[in-house]
Amino acid sequence: MTFMLRNRLKIFTWHIHGSYLFYLSQCNVDIYIPVNEKKDEGYYGRGKTFLFNDNVIEVPADEVKQHSFDCILFQSEKNLRIDQYEVLSEEQRQLPAIYLEHNAPEPHPVYSDHPLYDPEVVLVHVTHYNKLMWKNNVPHVKVIQHGIPEPAHLYTGDINKGIVVINHIKERGRITGWDIFDRVRAEVPIDLAGMGTEQYGGLGEVLFPQLNAFTSRYRFLFNPIRHTSFGLSVCEAMMAGMPVVSLATTEYANLLVNKQSAFINTNVDELIVGMKKLLSDQALARAMGQQARAVALEQFGMERFTREWDELFEFAINKKNVSV
């Protein structure tokens, strides 16, 4: 039995990952997000960083129970364990639900149990690696890879340096590869952007609306993160036609080909060799950037992304309606 959905669904979620929320809002849905005076985790509201359209709608946290929604979208364990019981009514907690897992498994890459155990909730991962490595405890597990729109600025590579874009890279330690970055910058001219980075020689935060124009001028983007999902900053760079240098871990090893669409390796010495080639040969950098863009167009197209999310919302709602 199939249920027809209204043209625009009402999705309730929390503001957890601003870039992802911005891209998700390109779907044919209205997204409601809670906001409170503290503006603490998940309750930032729209904020001023992202140029959300009118379909991202703020709701005061203490008024959420007064609204009607079609589906609840969890994006963190806190949303699942705590937030839903504080802001949603008992009736709203029975609505169709999806848990979007942004991250690679932690604390252990193989033995980590995913916190979702409710068989009525659909679990969606952003990479096949994440789905493979998490111990998933529900029957319905999907993968929707990132979706990136056409950038306003394409790659030029005129700044003969590399760029790393990671928030609080030093504080997050080995996972984000601070030690790798610190080693690389001793041999290769490379800048660092991201929140908090000005404290240790970085450029500080570059706001999302300016990020594409900022990074596309650099010769290459370097991703030193050891254990991660496929970072949106990497997707965005590739879509702009920018060559990428990355550790050959997680989903990067699946989607990138060494010396073709990227320099990708677990040997940091080899990555440094690749960086120096890109710095000395702008034609090579442009050629690799075009191959990276071809991968991005194939894997991260926005049309595919919005279609798969629309289908997922339909699946979750129909599955719930059939079961009641």
Side-chain angles (χ1 to χ4, degrees), residues 117-296:
Y117 282 85
D118 185 345
E120 293 298 315
V121 180
V122 180
L123 176 59
V124 57
H125 292 290
V126 297
T127 72
H128 290 280
Y129 173 87
N130 291 3
K131 179 185 176 183
L132 174 71
M133 303 304 282
W134 274 108
K135 183 180 178 184
N136 302 300
N137 300 299
V138 293
H140 300 290
V141 185
K142 309 284 187 179
V143 175
I144 298 182
Q145 294 189 140
H146 292 318
I148 306 295
E150 279 287 329
H153 301 272
L154 292 176
Y155 172 71
T156 65
D158 295 331
I159 298 178
N160 200 24
K161 292 182 179 181
I163 181 70
V164 172
V165 183
I166 301 174
N167 295 329
H168 305 293
I169 181 175
K170 187 173 184 179
E171 292 82 354
R172 294 159 68 189
R174 284 180 56 80
I175 285 182
T176 48
W178 164 256
D179 58 315
I180 298 171
F181 168 75
D182 201 32
R183 173 183 168 189
V184 166
R185 70 174 174 177
E187 299 189 44
V188 177
I190 191 164
D191 283 341
L192 172 65
M195 288 188 289
T197 58
E198 64 273 22
Q199 301 177 34
Y200 31 84
L203 303 175
E205 181 182 13
V206 179
L207 294 179
F208 179 76
Q210 290 80 48
L211 189 60
N212 164 233
F214 175 81
T215 58
S216 60
R217 298 176 300 151
Y218 282 83
R219 186 62 56 86
F220 62 86
L221 181 94
F222 177 41
N223 169 56
I225 305 179
R226 284 183 167 90
H227 187 62
T228 178
S229 297
F230 207 110
L232 277 169
S233 63
V234 179
C235 297
E236 289 155 358
M238 292 170 62
M239 190 65 80
M242 187 174 190
V244 169
V245 180
S246 175
L247 296 177
T249 58
T250 66
E251 195 73 5
Y252 296 107
N254 187 37
L255 295 184
L256 298 176
V257 178
N258 188 38
K259 299 181 181 179
Q260 295 183 25
S261 54
F263 282 113
I264 177 169
N265 210 304
T266 54
N267 184 338
V268 177
D269 290 332
E270 288 297 315
L271 294 182
I272 291 173
V273 170
M275 292 179 199
K276 290 179 178 178
K277 287 181 179 179
L278 293 172
L279 293 173
S280 64
D281 190 343
Q282 192 167 12
L284 172 65
R286 289 185 182 279
M288 292 187 70
Q290 285 304 304
Q291 292 191 65
R293 177 168 163 78
V295 173

Side-chain angles (χ1 to χ4, degrees), residues 20 28 33 69 83 130 150 181 231 234 238 249 252 266 298 310 322-323:
Y20 198 100
N28 186 37
I33 54 175
F69 308 110
D83 293 327
N130 291 3
E150 279 287 329
F181 168 75
V234 179
M238 292 170 62
T249 58
Y252 296 107
T266 54
E298 179 183 356
D310 288 339
V322 167
S323 66

